[in-house]
Each structure stands twice: as structure tokens, then as C-alpha cells.
Amino acid sequence: LFRSAQGASFVHAHLRQSFGGAYPQMPTDGIDAIVDFLTGEEIVCHVARHLGIEDLTLSSEFPFPPNILQRTFYAVIGALLQSSGPQKAEIFIRDFLISQLTGKDLFDVWIVTNPMGLLIEELARRNVSALEPRITRQSSASTVLPVYFVGLYCNKKLIAEGPGDSLFAAEEEAARVALRKIYGYTENRRPWDYSISSQKQKSLKALSSS
């Protein structure tokens, strides 16, 4: 149990440190949502099964309950941390946990019920003038499968555009596009800096907070 708790504490601390550094404009709620997604039972158990960690699991129940498999996975990281140090544990987390974000959109893991409201708050914090949504394009408006494109303008400049099957849906998608740009979590974002010097600093910070 000690190794499992130690591993879980290090994983959470390292992920928060990593994502906080990678996306400094993203609010705490977004960082926490990403960390919760990666450390939840579904993702951890998926990774654990593919790594063969079931073979290391001791339990009277079979199939192994997800919470037991999750604790075993964290215990492996705790053991790695103890035997090989924080840098090796960090590489393990990077290769097998953080990689689970591949192909995931920010709002697949962070459920924002009111993206337009969140965007308005973010712009207000940056002293940006009020948004003006406009229809930029539309197709098949009189059919059962209409498509609308709504653009969001600030100071007469287009900052984001999104599609939807209704004006409301298109406006919300445009807000999500703008939020991705603000937070730096776009599809064409640059890869993280995985240089050794950068990772050593993150490892020490994560270890000290675990």
C-alpha cells in the first residue's frame, strides 16, 4: 500500500507540474480534468493490462477489480521511483500515461457545459473587448441537415470560427476553437520539450511535492 500511495502521489504531482508548464494559460479546472482523465481507473487499467501488470497482481478475486489493478500500477511506479529514481519514473509516465492523450481533444477530457461563458471570462481577464458572433457561411439551411459556420469577432477581427447543425451549436464550437487557441491546446500545437535538463527539473519538483 505504501508503494501504491507513493506512486500515485508522484504521478499526480508530476502530471500537474508537466501540464501546468506545458499549458500555462489553462485554468486549474482544465489541468485537473486532464490529470483526472489520465489517472482514472479506465485509462490506468487499460495501460496496466497492456503492460502485463495483471501478472504482478495478488488478489483473491478474478478478474481483478479495477481498483486493485489501478493500485498495482501505482505500486509499480512507486517501486520504479524507489529503485531507479524520479527521472526513470517520469519517463515511464510519459511513455505509457501521457501518450494516452494522443488523438484526444481538450474538450473530450474536460467537459465544459458553457464554453461561450468561459471564453467571455477569459477575454475579460485579458481586457479584450466584447465578442461579436456572426454567421460566416451556411449550407442546406432549409433541409433537415443544415450546416452553419459562426465566426467570433473582436475589434472587427476574426478570432475563431466553428461549424454546427444549428446557430447555437456553431457558436459553441467557435468558442471551443477560441479557447483551444488561448490555452495552446490546438491540433497543430508544438510537441513538448522532452530534453533531459527540462525533465530533471520537473522530476525534482514532482518528487518534492509527492
Side-chain angles (χ1 to χ4, degrees), residues 123 129-136 150-161:
L123 294 178
S129 61
L131 285 172
E132 182 184 354
R134 301 179 192 172
I135 299 176
T136 55
V150 169
L152 301 180
Y153 289 80
C154 283
N155 295 324
K156 300 181 180 180
K157 293 183 179 180
L158 179 66
I159 63 169
E161 185 182 41

Side-chain angles (χ1 to χ4, degrees), residues 15-88:
L15 290 178
R16 285 194 173 90
Q17 177 67 32
S18 295
F19 292 122
Y23 307 113
Q25 301 300 322
M26 190 178 296
T28 303
D29 288 349
I31 299 296
D32 288 345
I34 296 174
V35 173
D36 290 345
F37 171 77
L38 291 176
T39 57
E41 282 187 356
E42 182 179 355
I43 294 297
V44 170
C45 290
H46 170 78
V47 173
R49 291 188 184 98
H50 283 78
L51 290 177
I53 289 180
E54 286 178 317
D55 295 337
L56 304 175
T57 305
L58 296 177
S59 176
S60 59
E61 301 178 62
F62 188 84
F64 302 120
N67 63 318
I68 297 296
L69 191 56
Q70 184 183 39
R71 287 205 299 266
T72 305
F73 177 84
Y74 286 139
V76 168
I77 295 178
L80 181 62
L81 181 64
Q82 183 68 28
S83 64
S84 303
Q87 189 176 350
K88 294 295 184 183

Side-chain angles (χ1 to χ4, degrees), residues 61-192:
E61 301 178 62
F62 188 84
F64 302 120
N67 63 318
I68 297 296
L69 191 56
Q70 184 183 39
R71 287 205 299 266
T72 305
F73 177 84
Y74 286 139
V76 168
I77 295 178
L80 181 62
L81 181 64
Q82 183 68 28
S83 64
S84 303
Q87 189 176 350
K88 294 295 184 183
E90 178 188 294
I91 291 173
F92 184 93
I93 295 167
R94 179 196 71 190
D95 290 349
F96 298 114
L97 268 187
I98 294 180
S99 60
Q100 300 304 307
L101 282 176
T102 302
K104 291 290 184 182
D105 180 73
L106 173 62
F107 298 109
D108 287 341
V109 299
W110 181 21
I111 307 302
V112 176
T113 56
N114 183 12
M116 182 58 74
L118 178 59
L119 176 60
I120 291 172
E121 291 177 8
E122 292 289 352
L123 294 178
R125 277 197 286 267
R126 292 163 173 79
N127 296 319
V128 177
S129 61
L131 285 172
E132 182 184 354
R134 301 179 192 172
I135 299 176
T136 55
R137 289 174 286 166
Q138 65 181 29
S139 176
S140 307
S142 59
T143 70
V144 295
L145 295 173
V147 177
Y148 300 93
F149 283 82
V150 169
L152 301 180
Y153 289 80
C154 283
N155 295 324
K156 300 181 180 180
K157 293 183 179 180
L158 179 66
I159 63 169
E161 185 182 41
D165 57 6
S166 68
L167 291 176
F168 178 75
E171 186 176 298
E172 285 208 323
E173 183 55 33
R176 293 188 187 96
V177 171
L179 288 169
R180 291 186 195 102
K181 291 180 179 179
I182 290 173
Y183 300 148
Y185 201 101
T186 56
E187 291 182 357
N188 61 343
R189 61 188 181 276
R190 292 182 61 184
W192 288 5

